[in-house]
Amino acid sequence: MIPKLMQSLTLSAPRIETSRRQFLIGALAAGTGIAVGFRLLTASPAAAAETAADDGAHAFSPYVTIDGDGKVTVLSSQFEMGQGSYNGIATLVAEELDADWSTIEVKGAAGNVQAYGNIAFGGAIQGTGGSTSMASSWERYRKAGAAARAMLVAAAAAEWGVDAAEITVDNGRLAHASGKSGGFGEFAAKAATMPVPADVTLKQPGDWKLIGNGKLKRFDSARKANGTEQYTIDVKLPGMLTAVMIHPPVFGAKVKSFDASAAKAIKGVVDVVETPRGIAVIGEHMWVAIKGRDAVTVEWDETAAEKRGTDELMSMYRDLAENPPAAVARKDGDAEAAFASAAKVIEGSFEFPYLAHAAMEPLNAVARMNEDGTLEIWGGHQFPDVYQRLSAEIAGIAPEKVRLNVMKSGGSFGRRAVFDGDVVVESVYAAKAIGFRAPVKVQWTREDDMHAGRYRPAYVHSLKAGLDENGKLVAWDDHIVGQSIVAKTAFQGMIQNGVDPTSVEGAHNLPYAIPNQTVGLTTTDVGVPVLWWRSVGSTHTAFAAETFLDEAAEAAGSDPVEFRLSMLEPDSRHAKVLKLAAEKAEWQKPLAEGRFRGVALAESFGSVVAEIAEVSTDGNGGIKVERVVAAVDCGLAINPDQVRAQVEGGIGFGLGAILGEEITLTDGKVDQGNFDMYTPLRIDAMPKVEVHIVPSANPPSGIGEPGVPPIGPAVANAAYKALGKRIRVMPFSKTLNA
């Protein structure tokens, strides 16, 4: 759903309508090598020629470069935050190029929406999110690899005086039956002068060596394992200063006054400056900046601040959930009449807390004004077009004078896809406040991230289900109460008829054949900043729906798997995935004493995942998740091992959230500061995970997020069998420790 919604964005940058037919392959000389990219048909020939003669930016930007030494560099439109998008895109290029996998490198690219706009978002914006990286890259990066290959072959044919059709390419080398051969690097410069192929023929699946290869190792695994991979936290520039922020203690507060005299007296503290986002304490290094921050006294204006705590907010949500919804997201049939005539009606209320993203690398960014008037920014640029525009406005320069260095990030889970630039603009504000006399890195601490972050919204669901005398589910009603992620942002246009689709996704599109359904939404106005969190709306909708379906199955006296299958088309993706999971988990086979199973099914980001969790009791009224069997249909699996890794990671991520994670507020202040109070999953609690991929010839769909939604309800359904308790309030600890 998210990709479709992103196509309705209203941003200051011009909207660009794109389709695969609008891309033409182009090439230009790049030093001693070749650069292959795409030019939009909307660019005039004269403009394209002028740009190509200049530096290849804007109307013509390369996706693939091959150097004289044979090194292949892929310029990725997608941000790498650990999910493996760089590896997937590299696979697409290397497959069609027939490159030597050991020569592949990938770098992040930005600053050219025409070349790098996310096709799944309609091309309007460059962005990484909604698990769209492979869907957006699937065709264009393969075409780039195929074009580069054709031009290398043409160059070798001209050099050797042979027919291009007689040349073979394998593992980074070109060869001819005459015995002539050479590596890519030998022909890179000449290839740049070859005519651009009017069209390219992509390989057939039977000819693939890398795509779908389950044994292909990630090209970047070694440096991630040995610590040589570079992240924004590792950036060190000559003369660079480090800034830490003092954010408001409650959301919506503003600086009234501050006294920095004691801080400035500390050796190594360079300056203390006010910005629209708080106070930046700038030092020669981070430790002295933190010492300086501790010495600053601030008086805050809390007139417009959010002062309510979690208890007050959730009490309000519960009351709202019992009233009619403010907007309707789905209405099929006549649910009211169906409930009135139902043989059995069950009801339940579900509560979900605020959640932090808690990525391994806290937020950071580096800003430097260069002598030529360009502003250079290093960071995890998940929405680079947005950050480029905002930074330009702050610095008072044209957007094209802002150069973004797209760094790899130690996690994001949606956290770096922000509307207001967040830490990126903080770095520009801080550097500007000292007259851009030195590069400035703004580095958040873990406590900054917890206290001043953005959170998965809190929600309450009020659910009702009606069954007829045969145990068939005939009526369903879900009233969802919570904050909108996109309200009052540049993404406001996503809200239609009062419905923020990110609040109801996974609920308003249930795959089950229930003749009478209503899904309502009441959006609250709360000052706590919220943001998409890995799998967005499905983090709560899947839990509410799939646990309540188990309650309905019990009320009907039906097996949970059979109950779901009875409402699915037999040949549907959902049915196939559910059957595969049940088969691999041996659902019908009795478990060993003390073991209990639960099942859940969810579709998100174009992929369908079923998970069956096996739990045991811990002897203290709690449970331990022992095993999870997952079946996934994510279209064609470009990197099967990466698909498995993402599902495994999603299960761990989601499991931590439902077992013990929550952000709470007291009088508007966030209570949690570090991992002593906010408790992600510990390694000893990670279950054994088996992932089974449904073979598919369909284009790839999402995989970074779809593993998260089913794990919570699968475990909750198993926990009910183990303990006899229905878990309706997150995290589990609130119920199991009660």
Side-chain angles (χ1 to χ4, degrees):
M1 175 181 291
I2 292 295
K4 294 180 181 178
L5 299 171
M6 295 287 282
Q7 295 180 25
S8 65
L9 298 184
T10 303
L11 302 174
S12 60
R15 179 180 172 86
I16 298 173
E17 298 293 343
T18 61
S19 77
R20 56 188 177 186
R21 290 185 297 275
Q22 283 182 288
F23 287 109
L24 290 179
I25 297 166
L28 62 136
T32 59
I34 178 177
V36 175
F38 293 110
R39 176 173 61 81
L40 283 178
L41 290 175
T42 50
S44 68
E50 180 182 348
T51 306
D54 183 14
D55 63 358
H58 307 300
F60 186 175
S61 187
Y63 283 179
V64 184
T65 64
I66 302 173
D67 296 338
D69 61 1
K71 180 180 179 181
V72 177
T73 301
V74 180
L75 299 180
S76 174
S77 64
Q78 300 299 290
F79 169 51
E80 173 63 60
M81 53 193 119
Q83 82 280 32
S85 62
Y86 278 12
N87 194 72
I89 290 173
T91 303
L92 301 180
V93 171
E95 180 67 78
E96 297 293 342
L97 183 57
D98 282 310
D100 177 354
W101 186 245
S102 68
T103 68
I104 294 289
E105 182 56 270
V106 184
K107 294 182 179 179
N112 184 346
V113 70
Q114 289 185 331
Y116 301 126
N118 189 317
I119 294 174
F121 297 169
I125 184 175
Q126 182 182 357
T128 305
S131 293
T132 60
S133 289
M134 292 303 100
S136 180
S137 306
W138 171 240
E139 186 169 90
R140 59 178 170 179
Y141 276 95
R142 285 191 297 148
K143 284 188 173 181
R149 181 187 189 279
M151 296 168 74
L152 287 166
V153 168
E159 181 76 19
W160 295 337
V162 301
D163 189 334
E166 298 173 357
I167 295 176
T168 59
V169 186
D170 184 51
N171 202 35
R173 293 191 64 80
L174 301 99
H176 185 261
S178 63
K180 295 177 179 179
S181 66
F184 283 178
E186 299 175 46
F187 301 99
K190 189 174 184 65
T193 69
M194 292 291 108
V196 178
D199 198 5
V200 290
T201 301
L202 301 177
K203 288 183 180 180
Q204 293 299 306
D207 297 325
W208 289 341
K209 299 176 183 177
L210 303 179
I211 295 175
N213 185 342
K215 297 181 179 180
L216 184 68
K217 296 184 181 299
R218 283 181 59 156
F219 76 95
D220 56 356
S221 294
R223 57 179 183 253
K224 287 188 174 182
N226 63 27
T228 58
E229 187 69 278
Q230 295 295 294
Y231 301 88
T232 309
I233 201 169
D234 300 311
V235 172
K236 295 180 181 179
L237 303 175
M240 186 181 77
L241 304 174
T242 300
V244 295
M245 297 296 298
I246 303 176
H247 294 116
V250 288
F251 301 113
K254 303 290 184 182
V255 175
K256 188 173 184 180
S257 64
F258 69 98
D259 181 357
S261 56
K264 291 182 178 180
I266 297 173
K267 183 180 179 181
V269 173
V270 174
D271 211 340
V272 180
V273 296
E274 184 178 348
T275 81
R277 291 180 53 81
I279 297 168
V281 182
I282 306 171
E284 294 176 355
H285 50 79
M286 189 169 181
W287 174 240
V288 75
I290 290 175
K291 286 181 64 178
R293 180 170 67 175
D294 293 341
V296 177
T297 57
V298 187
E299 184 179 359
W300 299 96
D301 177 1
E302 298 183 355
T303 305
E306 175 60 75
K307 294 287 193 66
R308 289 172 289 183
T310 303
D311 290 344
E312 295 169 86
L313 292 173
M314 295 309 288
S315 177
M316 176 184 72
Y317 282 24
R318 293 184 202 107
D319 290 343
L320 289 170
E322 294 305 312
N323 294 314
V328 176
R330 178 172 183 172
K331 182 175 175 59
D332 293 351
D334 188 342
E336 187 175 347
F339 279 120
S341 62
K344 187 177 294 186
V345 175
I346 60 174
E347 299 183 58
S349 179
F350 296 79
E351 298 182 14
F352 303 87
Y354 290 106
L355 292 174
H357 299 77
M360 183 179 295
E361 181 185 15
L363 294 187
N364 42 32
V366 181
R368 179 181 71 186
M369 183 66 77
N370 297 319
E371 292 182 1
D372 63 0
T374 59
L375 177 63
E376 201 165 358
I377 304 173
W378 288 257
H381 301 310
Q382 196 165 351
F383 277 175
D385 304 329
V386 176
Y387 310 155
Q388 183 184 43
R389 174 177 56 82
L390 292 171
S391 299
E393 291 174 357
I394 297 166
I397 59 178
E400 56 265 26
K401 283 188 169 291
V402 177
R403 177 184 173 187
L404 300 178
N405 295 290
V406 183
M407 303 297 294
K408 301 174 187 68
S409 178
S412 174
F413 313 113
R415 181 62 185 86
R416 293 179 184 268
V418 289
F419 314 115
D420 63 357
D422 212 354
V423 72
V424 174
V425 302
E426 286 182 352
S427 70
V428 180
Y429 277 129
K432 181 181 179 180
I434 62 170
F436 291 113
R437 68 178 185 268
V440 176
K441 175 193 285 185
V442 172
Q443 177 65 59
W444 284 25
T445 63
R446 178 64 57 197
E447 287 76 12
D448 294 331
D449 194 48
M450 290 289 179
H451 290 150
R454 315 294 173 88
Y455 312 101
R456 196 284 304 272
Y459 287 96
V460 166
H461 285 242
S462 179
L463 275 158
K464 184 162 69 169
L467 298 102
D468 66 14
E469 62 278 4
N470 297 316
K472 180 182 177 182
L473 189 56
V474 294
W476 182 271
D477 179 76
D478 186 358
H479 181 191
I480 304 169
V481 178
Q483 283 174 261
S484 166
I485 291 172
V486 302
K488 302 176 184 178
T489 74
F491 297 74
Q492 173 82 29
M494 293 166 65
I495 299 175
Q496 298 292 320
N497 300 317
V499 176
D500 175 354
T502 69
S503 296
V504 300
E505 62 179 345
H508 88 299
N509 57 330
L510 286 178
Y512 304 108
I514 306 171
N516 305 287
Q517 292 188 60
T518 56
V519 177
L521 175 67
T522 297
T523 298
T524 58
D525 186 7
V526 178
V528 179
V530 294
L531 192 66
W532 18 60
W533 187 93
R534 191 175 184 180
S535 73
V536 200
S538 293
T539 61
H540 56 97
T541 59
F543 187 96
E546 287 294 307
T547 53
F548 203 56
L549 272 169
D550 253 46
E551 294 191 41
E554 182 181 49
S558 178
D559 173 83
V561 170
E562 293 304 320
F563 188 69
R564 288 169 171 81
L565 288 173
S566 71
M567 297 182 287
L568 296 171
E569 290 293 331
D571 293 328
S572 67
R573 297 171 71 201
H574 299 82
K576 289 178 180 178
V577 163
L578 182 56
K579 289 175 184 176
L580 179 60
E583 173 194 339
K584 296 300 183 181
E586 299 181 301
W587 178 263
Q588 297 299 335
K589 182 178 179 180
L591 281 167
E593 185 176 353
R595 295 291 183 99
F596 307 88
R597 290 195 193 100
V599 63
L601 173 70
E603 177 183 355
S604 58
F605 308 98
S607 296
V608 183
V609 180
E611 292 173 5
I612 293 177
E614 186 177 316
V615 308
S616 63
T617 55
D618 63 8
N620 298 308
I623 59 166
K624 177 176 173 54
V625 184
E626 303 284 357
R627 178 189 181 213
V628 178
V629 176
V632 54
D633 181 347
C634 59
L636 189 143
I638 297 171
N639 300 118
D641 188 57
Q642 190 63 31
V643 170
R644 294 187 184 92
Q646 283 301 295
V647 175
E648 290 166 356
I651 287 170
F653 189 84
L655 190 56
I658 57 110
L659 290 181
E661 294 178 23
E662 65 174 332
I663 289 290
T664 59
L665 300 95
T666 301
D667 298 327
K669 295 183 179 180
V670 173
D671 299 317
Q672 291 72 26
N674 212 312
F675 291 139
D676 56 336
M677 295 182 69
Y678 190 86
T679 54
L681 193 73
R682 275 29 178 185
I683 191 65
D684 60 353
M686 184 67 188
K688 177 184 177 182
V689 178
E690 302 168 26
V691 180
H692 303 276
I693 304 170
V694 175
S696 175
N698 294 322
S701 50
I703 198 57
E705 300 171 86
V708 176
I711 186 60
V715 174
N717 291 334
Y720 171 70
K721 295 177 181 177
L723 304 172
K725 292 182 179 181
R726 291 289 183 190
I727 300 174
R728 294 177 174 173
V729 178
M730 299 296 103
F732 280 28
S733 54
K734 288 189 171 182
T735 299
L736 300 185
N737 297 335

